[in-house]
Amino acid sequence: MIRWFCPEVLLVLTGVTLILADALIPPGKKEWLPRLSILLGIALFIFTIWQSGQPMPEVWANLFVTDGLSLVFKPFFVLCLVGVTLISVRYPMGREEVVRTEFLALPFFSTAGLCLLASARDFLAIFVALELVAISLYLLAAFHRSRAASLEAGMKLLVMGGLSTGFLVMGIAWLYATAGSTEFSRIILEQAGRPASPALLFAVGLILTGLAFKIAAVPFHAWAPDVYEGAPTPITAFLAIASKAAGFVLLLRIFCLGAFALDSVGWVFRPILLTMGIATVTLGTLAALPQRNLKRYLAYSGIAHAGYMLLALGTWGESGMGTVAGYLWAYLLATFPVFIFVQELERVHGNADMRHLDGLAQRDPGPALGLTLCFLSMAGLPPLLGFSAKLSVFTALWSAGEIPGLVVGVIMAVVGLGFYLVPIRAMYWEREPDVVPAQRFPSFLVWILLLAGAAQLILGFQPRPLVRLVEKSLAPMVSGNLQGK
Amino acid sequence: MIAYAPYLILLLPLLAAVSIRLFLYPFPRISVSVSTLACLGSFMGSMALLFWGSSLGQGIVPALPWIEWGGFRANFGILGDPLARGMAALVSGVAFLVHLYSIGYLEKDPCRSRFFAELSLFVFSMLGIVLADNLISMFIFWELVGLSSYLLIGFWVERPAAGAAANKAFLVNRIGDFGFILGILGAWALFGSVTFADLPGRAAASSPGWAVTAVGLGLFCGCLGKSAQFPLHVWLPDSMEGPTPVSSLLHAATMVVAGVYMLVRVLPILEMSQATMMTIAWIGGWMTLLPALLACQQNDIKRILAYSTLSEIAYMVMAVGLGVAGPAMYHLTTHAFFKCLLFLAAGSVIHGCHDEQDIWKMGGLGKRMPFTAFVTILGTLALCGIPPLSGFWSKDAIFAATAHHPGLAAVSMGAGFFTSFFMLRMILVAFGGEPKNDAARHAHEGSIFLTAPMALLAVLTLVGGLLPVESYLHFQHPEAHETWTLWISLLVALAGFVPAYFLYRQATKDPISIPVLREKFYVDEIYQRVFVSPQDAFARLTDAFEGWVVRGFLVRGSGVVARASGQGLRLVQCGQVQIYAAVFILGVFLLLGWLWRQG
């Protein structure tokens, strides 16, 4: 019975509670609901850290597993939720103010789906959890109905998401037809020791398509810039970080731990992942150069980061897998603060155009410093956190002998420095505009940005906590195991 | 937990710097006190480490694991050997006195928060160099020291000369640091370790050869830059554009001798190669003489002292080259006292004469600033190596080491002659005779903050030779060294006073004029022609490239990809979801096509 108190269940219950409270409490007396949702989010985060190593309900044993990966990534997703809730509270809703609580409650459902994904050991569970994530996100992206851009973003996400889900389901169906099961352990047992049949490869290819959409890898990335730009900023952050991370956790889960961790499959898919990685890094980096809108810019930056992680994944080894896990945490720590800042920028100026950064260091030295550290960390400059992340990607590529990927990765890291310096240059070297808005950034934002910057520095100098986390994610099953009960 | 307490020595100044920069910036009084107290805390911690550290033995402070990457390992640790502890006490002690002095010197400056934040940053980085237990972390602090030096030289941002001097110091140091990091990488490649504790053993186990020589010379490059030795010496005289407390602390007492300290640390590597040692000794030997010659024709009181600093550091470098680290560190210590004192006295003069630095516009200050005059004379006697002042003992130890190298003995003792000459010239012109203008006529002593540090340093200058420096350096005074070096060096030094006395006793303008010395052997001009102008041309070229090709063609044309692939990408990223879906399907076909070929 006690096992039912797992993060996923509590996340769903919290979401339901928030919606019920919103419906039952008379209007005018609900000012405390946003604050409550933040508190609940933080409480759930602490609970998840404490609980994510515990086994899940026994009834689910065939569908879900608790292991190192889920242990490390459930807190990741709930941390994203806390961040999103924090900034959702401040998102200017305009006419949609009346439904703010729903805007706050929906990410809880989505996060429940993400946590389930981190544990899934069966393609059916994966499909259901993915839909839980995706449908909440379709709603959320289109939530700001009075803004055409938001509606457009929701529509694009829906169409493209539906398309990718179609391929994913098709892949799962083919898989079932080939292997006779959707459960990872059965598939491995069934396929081990034989060459992969064309039908199996076809199935894996279709499933990869669905996941490549999630992580916005080239050529399945086209939706990302438009949707990121149009969606409400908290949702953009959620899409860019949590949703992308979910794609990678699934890739790790499927290709490195379960189902297709077979040499026969890996032999075919390694070059595909590496080629995709090279294309993604190149396009993300080059296309980011001319961007003038911070949200689009972050979309391309996210595409480039996904490319680096794909390259690491393409090395197919344990080091590549640990690298992806560490990279995702580094990406979260460097990118989320920037999204928080972008939303405040939108509050003040109405949009996220990069020209609002001109001369920012003059009037707001604190946020400028924090942002600079975050951008430099994303660029991968030592001694910041992002440097360790990129270095481990390159080390993994080097030791796997993947020289083309390494060369492109290094070149793009250098080019990337160019586009990460663009906002820094604007903040420090551009002249301040003559008319400066009177509205200032709130002091909590200054603190968050400075703390984030300090975190880049401290973890860059001492990446040990992160390394330990990565080692943990590689640990074998905590309870239950993939080879079936 | 108490074992980690020594890290506080490092952390206190860093905390002071960060908190001033972030919070206390608008409150100069609080900033000043926080910075000074942090430095005092570091000093007391260093003293505690100095006195009680030895009872705890080597490796007293647990190191924090830092970089582990493949076969490479570097910890972040604090070195507990006597050399590091003694040097830390010296650095933090002198730094504290200079903090006190700066309170008085900058009392009217509205930007003194910034000054003290930068000073704290410097103390942090300098102590980092001293306490670093491996070359990698030393290099990081080495760069931080370069940064704080840059910031402090350019402290008066409104003066273009200060900005130019700061740039020059930073850029010239980069050249040396490039050699330094090559040396570090070479040391790692050769010996498989960068930790000071391992280096002596590893170096002894390896075989000498050209590679070891190259590594030694690379490391020496770091010293050339930071300690301003030929050919990278040009930045130090210009750095005098910074506030005088900075010149005193960074560019005389502590930072510029970091190179010597580093050489002593890596001495086991240097000693592997006779060629390296001789190069170091001869560069040091000549650098004692040449700046002393230049100083004879300088008119700026701080520049005179700067050239004398170049010459004194060269004595230390020469001593290291001769393999006697003890006397080098001994001279480093006494030099820190008396040269810091001389600079503070010069600062007092400049302060008293309303920012006048030309000695020919001063005069008669001996009567109006008797205390400053007294400590200047005291510092001068120590600098010239007159017994029983501190400088005598340390210089004597270095001269004794040259006993078997007549060439080095000749140049270094000759330098002593000119040192006495230009120092007496400076004193007679600035403090003797009649006031040359109103500012000098109304000169007066500064506040207690100015005089107290000078008084303390004067005491140290007087008795510095008696401090038990040898015990923490593990070196014995050569008891029975050949006494001829002592007598000759002393006679030569005294002889230098004679011509200066007769030439400058009543002079109102310089009776001798030697253009080649006044123009510093034209080194700056040569560098300008050979390095700076071509580099400027190259910079203009790359600027044009950036402006026309990168920004004009690549970026403004909305991205190289869009241009290169014609309108391809633009068509794709048009915002129409149908197109996106088409691309998506195309991607699927691509992927499946690949699989088809494979399977």
Side-chain angles (χ1 to χ4, degrees):
Chain A
M1 190 56 211
I2 188 82
R3 289 189 177 183
W4 285 101
F5 286 99
C6 56
E8 293 84 352
V9 175
L10 290 182
L11 279 164
V12 172
L13 286 180
T14 314
V16 173
T17 314
L18 282 173
I19 289 182
L20 280 181
D22 185 46
L24 297 179
I25 297 170
K29 291 186 177 170
K30 309 193 271 205
E31 292 79 16
W32 49 274
L33 270 177
R35 247 168 284 162
L36 177 74
S37 63
I38 294 177
L39 283 179
L40 285 173
I42 293 172
L44 276 169
F45 174 59
I46 296 166
F47 178 77
T48 312
I49 291 179
W50 169 61
Q51 218 274 340
S52 61
Q54 306 293 317
M56 313 251 296
E58 272 170 46
V59 192
W60 292 357
N62 286 327
L63 298 176
F64 297 104
V65 68
T66 306
D67 64 357
L69 201 61
S70 67
L71 183 77
V72 169
F73 277 97
K74 281 183 192 177
F76 180 97
F77 294 131
V78 184
L79 185 61
C80 288
L81 171 74
V82 174
V84 168
T85 315
L86 259 177
I87 51 177
S88 295
V89 168
R90 291 177 60 76
Y91 182 72
M93 299 278 278
R95 270 197 290 140
E96 271 72 43
E97 187 60 46
V98 280
V99 287
R100 183 184 287 279
T101 315
E102 287 167 35
F103 187 62
L104 291 169
L106 281 170
F108 281 84
F109 297 111
S110 198
T111 309
L114 290 167
C115 287
L116 285 175
L117 278 180
S119 276
R121 52 174 294 198
D122 187 303
F123 280 105
L124 283 182
I126 286 182
F127 178 70
V128 174
L130 258 183
E131 285 310 286
L132 181 54
V133 177
I135 292 174
S136 325
L137 280 175
Y138 302 151
L139 284 175
L140 285 166
F143 212 86
H144 203 156
R145 272 167 295 180
S146 50
R147 263 184 59 216
S150 175
L151 272 182
E152 189 189 327
M155 198 276 290
K156 280 179 179 162
L157 187 62
L158 176 67
V159 171
M160 299 304 291
L163 193 64
S164 80
T165 310
F167 283 102
L168 184 74
V169 175
M170 183 73 144
I172 294 175
W174 271 84
L175 189 70
Y176 185 74
T178 323
S181 172
T182 53
E183 198 186 320
F184 292 1
S185 51
R186 296 263 171 82
I187 297 170
I188 289 192
L189 277 179
E190 162 82 21
Q191 297 290 329
R194 333 190 215 153
S197 65
L200 178 72
L201 291 181
F202 183 62
V204 180
L206 290 179
I207 291 172
L208 180 63
T209 312
L211 297 182
F213 163 79
K214 279 265 156 203
I215 60 175
V218 173
F220 310 106
H221 68 284
W223 59 279
D226 287 7
V227 173
Y228 282 21
E229 189 185 356
T233 307
I235 306 312
T236 308
F238 202 66
L239 273 170
I241 299 168
S243 178
K244 193 181 287 264
F248 276 104
V249 170
L250 275 183
L251 283 172
L252 288 177
R253 170 72 75 198
I254 297 174
F255 283 95
C256 297
L257 288 174
F260 309 139
L262 297 161
D263 280 342
S264 55
V265 177
W267 182 78
V268 178
F269 276 89
R270 247 184 87 157
I272 292 184
L273 287 175
L274 282 170
T275 313
M276 220 184 220
I278 290 176
T280 309
V281 169
T282 312
L283 186 130
T285 308
L286 292 182
L289 273 170
Q291 298 306 325
R292 300 306 303 166
N293 179 295
L294 263 176
K295 281 162 93 177
R296 279 189 94 82
Y297 170 90
L298 284 170
Y300 283 110
S301 144
I303 291 174
H305 284 302
Y308 287 109
M309 287 186 266
L310 271 177
L311 284 175
L313 201 71
T315 62
W316 213 263
E318 201 167 71
S319 71
M321 187 181 155
T323 298
V324 175
Y327 203 112
L328 281 173
W329 274 96
Y331 176 62
L332 165 75
L333 291 177
T335 313
F336 213 105
V338 180
F339 273 111
I340 298 179
F341 174 82
V342 168
Q343 169 165 323
E344 293 302 325
L345 205 66
E346 282 183 315
R347 273 176 71 91
V348 175
H349 296 278
N351 60 34
D353 202 294
M354 220 181 267
R355 78 191 131 87
H356 303 313
L357 290 179
D358 287 356
L360 185 83
Q362 296 283 319
R363 47 182 197 278
D364 287 302
L369 178 67
L371 269 183
T372 302
L373 286 171
C374 286
F375 279 127
L376 289 180
S377 177
M378 283 196 232
L381 225 64
L384 301 166
L385 176 57
F387 170 69
S388 324
K390 282 223 169 69
L391 184 68
S392 58
V393 171
F394 296 147
T395 322
L397 284 167
W398 174 259
S399 49
E402 293 299 343
I403 303 304
L406 180 68
V407 170
V408 174
V410 171
I411 291 176
M412 286 304 142
V414 175
V415 177
L417 188 61
F419 82 79
Y420 286 115
L421 286 178
V422 170
I424 298 173
R425 187 189 127 122
M427 285 189 291
Y428 286 91
W429 280 280
E430 289 295 333
R431 221 165 48 82
E432 245 185 317
D434 295 331
V435 188
V436 180
Q439 203 179 348
R440 304 304 302 272
F441 294 115
S443 63
F444 90 93
L445 178 80
V446 180
W447 280 107
I448 287 182
L449 283 172
L450 280 177
L451 274 177
Q456 309 302 322
L457 261 178
I458 292 167
L459 284 173
F461 268 113
Q462 189 54 274
R464 199 147 278 269
L466 214 63
V467 172
R468 209 164 287 154
L469 209 64
V470 168
E471 280 165 1
K472 219 187 247 176
S473 76
L474 293 173
M477 318 303 119
V478 178
S479 78
N481 68 59
L482 280 175
Q483 258 60 48
K485 283 181 85 160
Chain B
M1 213 52 221
I2 189 76
Y4 288 95
Y7 283 100
L8 277 182
I9 298 174
L10 269 181
L11 281 181
L12 281 176
L14 177 66
L15 284 177
V18 172
S19 60
I20 292 173
R21 195 67 238 199
L22 288 183
F23 312 109
L24 305 174
Y25 202 73
F27 317 108
R29 278 168 176 279
I30 303 175
S31 306
V32 168
S33 343
V34 164
S35 169
T36 310
L37 285 177
C39 190
L40 179 64
S42 278
F43 175 56
M44 293 187 353
S46 307
M47 288 308 271
L49 196 65
L50 180 62
F51 286 122
W52 294 307
S54 57
S55 60
L56 298 165
Q58 276 280 355
I60 41 173
V61 189
L64 309 172
W66 181 35
I67 309 176
E68 280 172 49
W69 186 58
F72 181 78
R73 255 187 89 88
N75 288 336
F76 187 85
I78 281 186
L79 204 60
D81 70 347
L83 180 63
R85 286 185 279 141
M87 185 79 180
L90 172 75
V91 167
S92 52
V94 174
F96 173 63
L97 291 179
V98 172
H99 269 80
L100 284 183
Y101 184 86
S102 309
I103 297 177
Y105 196 81
L106 291 168
E107 71 192 328
K108 293 196 184 70
D109 197 309
C111 293
R112 55 194 192 277
S113 286
R114 179 159 60 88
F115 180 83
F116 277 86
E118 287 164 0
L119 209 55
S120 280
L121 179 68
F122 165 73
V123 174
F124 161 69
S125 349
M126 185 67 206
L127 286 172
I129 290 187
V130 173
L131 296 172
D133 74 342
N134 63 67
L135 280 167
I136 299 288
S137 44
M138 180 187 252
F139 185 77
I140 289 176
F141 286 112
W142 192 268
E143 294 302 307
L144 277 174
V145 160
L147 169 71
S148 37
S149 162
Y150 167 81
L151 291 172
L152 283 167
I153 294 173
F155 172 69
W156 281 316
V157 286
E158 66 278 7
R159 295 188 191 174
N167 274 338
K168 188 170 181 179
F170 194 78
L171 292 175
V172 172
N173 264 297
R174 309 258 16 96
I175 301 171
D177 293 350
F178 187 66
F180 188 28
I181 192 125
L182 287 183
I184 293 175
L185 292 174
W188 175 50
L190 272 188
F191 311 121
S193 170
V194 289
T195 310
F196 292 131
D198 297 344
L199 278 179
R202 302 276 179 104
S206 68
S207 56
W210 66 269
V212 181
T213 307
V215 167
L217 289 176
L219 294 172
F220 180 53
C221 273
C223 171
L224 287 182
K226 194 67 70 197
S227 292
Q229 297 297 297
F230 183 81
L232 302 180
H233 62 284
V234 287
W235 65 271
L236 188 65
D238 288 16
S239 76
M240 295 300 131
E241 294 293 337
T244 307
V246 172
S247 310
S248 159
L249 180 60
L250 275 71
H251 306 119
T254 56
M255 187 193 85
V256 286
V257 296
V260 177
Y261 176 80
M262 184 269 285
L263 287 186
V264 173
R265 276 263 167 258
V266 298
L267 195 58
I269 300 181
L270 304 179
E271 273 176 338
M272 296 284 297
S273 155
Q274 196 55 34
T276 311
M277 292 295 270
M278 276 300 106
T279 312
I280 297 175
W282 276 102
I283 287 185
W286 278 107
M287 273 305 279
T288 60
L289 183 61
L290 300 181
L293 284 173
L294 300 185
C296 297
Q297 282 285 290
Q298 298 299 317
N299 298 328
D300 182 315
I301 185 166
K302 282 174 72 181
R303 281 183 186 249
I304 296 175
L305 291 175
Y307 280 108
S308 137
T309 305
L310 287 177
S311 164
E312 295 306 306
I313 298 170
Y315 278 106
M316 304 169 207
V317 172
M318 181 180 76
V320 174
L322 291 170
V324 286
M329 289 304 295
Y330 190 17
H331 193 52
L332 190 159
T333 311
T334 57
H335 174 256
F337 296 144
F338 63 70
K339 187 51 68 63
C340 191
L341 173 66
L342 281 170
F343 264 107
L344 294 190
S348 173
V349 166
I350 297 166
H351 196 70
C353 297
H354 300 290
D355 293 332
E356 183 53 65
Q357 302 199 15
D358 190 337
I359 51 172
W360 294 102
K361 294 180 181 157
M362 296 172 183
L365 296 179
K367 294 198 190 72
R368 288 163 189 83
M369 305 177 77
F371 177 75
T372 304
F374 171 71
V375 295
T376 308
I377 291 168
L378 199 68
T380 301
L381 292 178
L383 173 64
C384 300
I386 307 300
L389 291 142
S390 58
F392 164 72
W393 304 101
S394 54
K395 269 196 171 174
D396 173 47
I398 292 180
F399 285 133
T402 63
H404 301 293
H405 298 83
L408 288 173
V411 282
S412 61
M413 287 177 191
F417 175 85
F418 293 104
T419 303
S420 304
F421 178 84
F422 69 72
M423 285 309 290
L424 189 61
R425 167 179 179 262
M426 182 190 96
I427 291 176
L428 287 175
V429 174
F431 292 93
E434 291 302 314
K436 312 285 194 304
N437 63 16
D438 275 350
R441 213 161 281 129
H442 299 113
H444 56 87
E445 292 284 359
S447 71
I448 180 81
F449 282 113
L450 295 187
T451 49
M454 285 198 279
L456 277 170
L457 280 169
V459 173
L460 286 169
T461 302
L462 205 58
V463 302
L466 304 175
L467 288 180
V469 186
E470 302 92 337
S471 68
Y472 78 75
L473 292 173
H474 291 310
F475 108 94
Q476 301 293 318
H477 253 299
E479 287 298 335
H481 70 70
E482 293 169 66
T483 47
W484 66 268
T485 54
L486 189 160
W487 292 113
I488 292 185
S489 63
L490 197 56
L491 276 177
V492 171
L494 287 172
F497 288 132
V498 180
Y501 180 76
F502 287 111
L503 278 171
Y504 292 102
R505 192 176 38 156
Q506 297 294 337
T508 52
K509 67 179 188 49
D510 208 335
I512 46 176
S513 172
I514 309 172
V516 69
L517 296 186
R518 197 178 286 274
E519 295 304 324
K520 303 162 264 182
F521 295 128
Y522 301 104
V523 174
D524 274 327
E525 279 69 24
I526 295 171
Y527 283 1
Q528 181 70 35
R529 292 268 166 77
V530 179
F531 299 113
V532 182
S533 305
Q535 205 195 333
D536 281 349
F538 183 66
R540 273 193 294 278
L541 189 73
T542 50
D543 182 52
F545 181 81
E546 205 257 338
W548 290 96
V549 180
V550 177
R551 254 186 302 163
F553 180 68
L554 299 184
V555 177
R556 205 167 295 148
S558 77
V560 60
V561 183
R563 281 278 162 113
S565 60
Q567 293 292 312
L569 196 85
R570 300 198 118 209
L571 278 178
V572 170
Q573 210 64 53
C574 61
Q576 277 193 15
V577 75
Q578 291 90 330
I579 304 282
Y580 295 177
V583 172
F584 190 104
I585 308 263
L586 219 75
V588 176
F589 279 131
L590 225 75
L591 204 154
L592 294 181
W594 183 312
L595 284 175
W596 183 264
R597 273 187 47 216
Q598 296 279 320

